[in-house]
DNA sequence: GTCTATACGGTGATAGAC
DNA sequence: GTCTATCACCGTATAGAC
């Protein structure tokens, strides 16, 4: 039974937590060490530098952030709206488990746009292609594909990005906001249907 | 003619630029000084500390970020959709001039949620009230007011927040993305109409 | 008001004993 | 592999001359 958590893994977990909370320049190696229950020297023993450690964390998180779109959209025997429902569900489920992921990824890339280069371009092209087929076949309205995708993804991500400011503006308790997030799937899909089909 | 820019103003301009690019912990007082064309000591002479300077910048930017909603929504002799159109136009126009504002505000508040406390709560309540009247009078569908507002604001902000990652995913040149942003108003309002009225 | 010089603390990183 | 001690540097902030 090798169920023991390795030091390396403890560091990665701690690093993820601290970097997601504080960002690269706000994070302190000391905090990560404390959280991992070891000392700073060990961080450098396992991962050479703060930069290397951050890069690993970022890449790992980036994988979570982008890819699962594909699985949802490529299922056969589904209407486009059903595919969207799957996509929204998958995305929101992941976000519930990683609520601070979006702002971490987006603010990191904002300050370091080259980091977006690891993204696979084919994915976007494939989505656009799928939508254009739906439009051509007359199963959805003639919407601008990019504008719609921006809206769809925004409907999933934005509630997590804007949580603190929205809670305050609309005077919602944490419990109420969680409820809002739990119900987000239904509304996002309903809105998508209104846009793509009209009801 | 007092058209000369004061040192204080030069510092504020420089500070805004650097803080918006780098965030609080990423920003360096040296950068701000360089950009303002003065030396570090002057920063502390005019503004006591980095914290104080940042707070001023943040408050100033926060004012831009939130309030102009009110003007758009309180105009008389307008349908609700027309009001939304005004709101979206005003918001997008401001964002075109301040494209890095959203990620700055949201990532700052993310790391320091108390900063959201400066927000005026009455504004949100007023919007909800207006929408509920529209619903009651049967002029728009029975949508969840909070869910809709999250979507509406997201449709405006998200394209600016997600620009680098979206450009990459959908392989859009800066010019193409600017075009997308320029056309955002039409699509956002059209989507809002689809949601609120059906077409 | 503006500058130079410097104090002071903290941070990433390394050396070296065990 | 893990620790303590330490280094070199950088960043904020201040002192003090002009």
């Amino acid at each position: 039974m090798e169920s023991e958590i390795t030091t390396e893994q403890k560091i990665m977990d701690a690093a993820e937590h601290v970097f997601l909370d504080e960002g690269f320049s706000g994070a302190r190696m000391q905090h990560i060490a404390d959280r991992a229950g070891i000392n700073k020297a060990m961080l450098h023993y396992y991962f050479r530098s703060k930069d290397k450690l951050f890069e690993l964390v970022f890449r790992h998180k980036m994988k979570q952030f982008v890819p699962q779109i594909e699985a949802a959209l490529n299922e056969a025997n589904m209407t486009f709206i059903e595919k969207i429902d799957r996509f929204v569900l998958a995305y929101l489920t992941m976000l519930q488990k990683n609520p601070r992921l979006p702002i971490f990824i987006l603010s990191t890339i904002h300050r370091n746009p080259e980091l977006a280069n690891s993204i696979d371009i084919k994915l976007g092209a494939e989505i656009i292609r799928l939508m254009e087929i739906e439009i051509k076949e007359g199963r959805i309205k003639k919407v601008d594909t990019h504008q719609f995708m921006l809206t769809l993804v925004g409907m999933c991500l934005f509630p997590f990005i804007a949580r603190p400011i929205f809670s305050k503006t609309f005077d919602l308790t944490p419990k109420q906001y969680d409820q809002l997030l739990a119900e987000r799937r239904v509304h996002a899909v309903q809105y998508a249907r209104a846009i793509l089909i009209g009801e």
Side-chain angles (χ1 to χ4, degrees), chain A:
Chain A
M1 293 252 300
E2 293 291 329
S3 72
E4 287 222 351
I5 301 148
T6 64
T7 302
E8 201 173 331
Q9 192 54 49
K10 277 194 289 186
I11 294 174
M12 277 298 288
D13 291 346
E16 275 192 26
H17 193 278
V18 174
F19 280 134
L20 258 78
D21 266 10
E22 312 288 348
F24 175 77
S25 49
R28 299 287 162 248
M29 294 297 265
Q30 186 64 60
H31 285 186
I32 298 174
D34 292 348
R35 209 183 164 81
I38 49 148
N39 60 64
K40 276 193 294 177
M42 293 298 287
L43 295 183
H44 291 91
Y45 175 78
Y46 279 97
F47 306 88
R48 280 179 52 81
S49 66
K50 185 181 179 183
D51 288 81
K52 304 267 186 202
L53 181 55
F54 182 79
E55 201 183 326
L56 283 176
V57 169
F58 181 78
R59 281 188 199 285
H60 180 235
K61 285 301 175 182
M62 194 66 177
K63 276 185 204 149
Q64 284 186 282
F65 188 69
V66 174
Q68 70 283 33
I69 305 174
E70 216 155 12
L73 293 185
N74 277 341
E75 294 228 26
N77 297 328
M78 271 197 189
T79 66
F80 193 63
I81 292 290
E82 283 169 343
K83 285 181 184 177
I84 284 181
D85 184 49
R86 286 294 174 95
F87 165 68
V88 169
L89 173 61
Y91 218 37
L92 289 177
T93 304
M94 184 277 291
L95 289 167
Q96 291 279 7
K97 289 175 199 147
N98 302 274
R100 295 163 310 164
L101 184 59
I103 196 81
F104 168 71
I105 296 287
L106 293 170
S107 65
T108 300
I109 289 183
H110 169 74
R111 291 186 183 66
N112 216 339
E114 316 86 69
L115 290 173
N117 288 337
S118 62
I119 296 174
D120 183 11
I121 257 183
K122 289 176 202 156
L123 179 59
E126 174 65 8
I127 294 170
I128 300 298
R129 200 184 61 81
L130 278 175
M131 279 196 75
E132 281 169 353
I133 292 174
E134 295 294 314
I135 292 172
K136 198 173 179 183
E137 306 276 333
R139 289 191 290 269
I140 61 175
K141 289 190 194 175
K142 281 175 195 153
V143 294
D144 180 300
T145 51
H146 293 115
Q147 294 282 356
F148 175 76
M149 283 308 299
L150 215 36
T151 304
L152 181 66
V153 177
M155 286 196 293
C156 297
L157 291 178
F158 190 68
F160 292 88
I161 300 171
R163 174 167 187 154
I165 211 166
F166 233 80
S167 304
K168 185 69 190 172
T169 305
F170 293 99
D171 199 23
L172 301 171
T173 63
K175 202 161 186 161
Q176 287 174 315
Y177 204 89
D178 284 335
Q179 180 67 16
L180 196 76
L181 290 178
E183 294 167 355
R184 188 65 179 161
R185 175 194 178 188
V186 177
H187 292 90
V189 173
Q190 184 181 311
Y191 294 168
R193 177 183 281 116
I195 293 167
L196 293 177
I197 299 182
E199 137 269 29

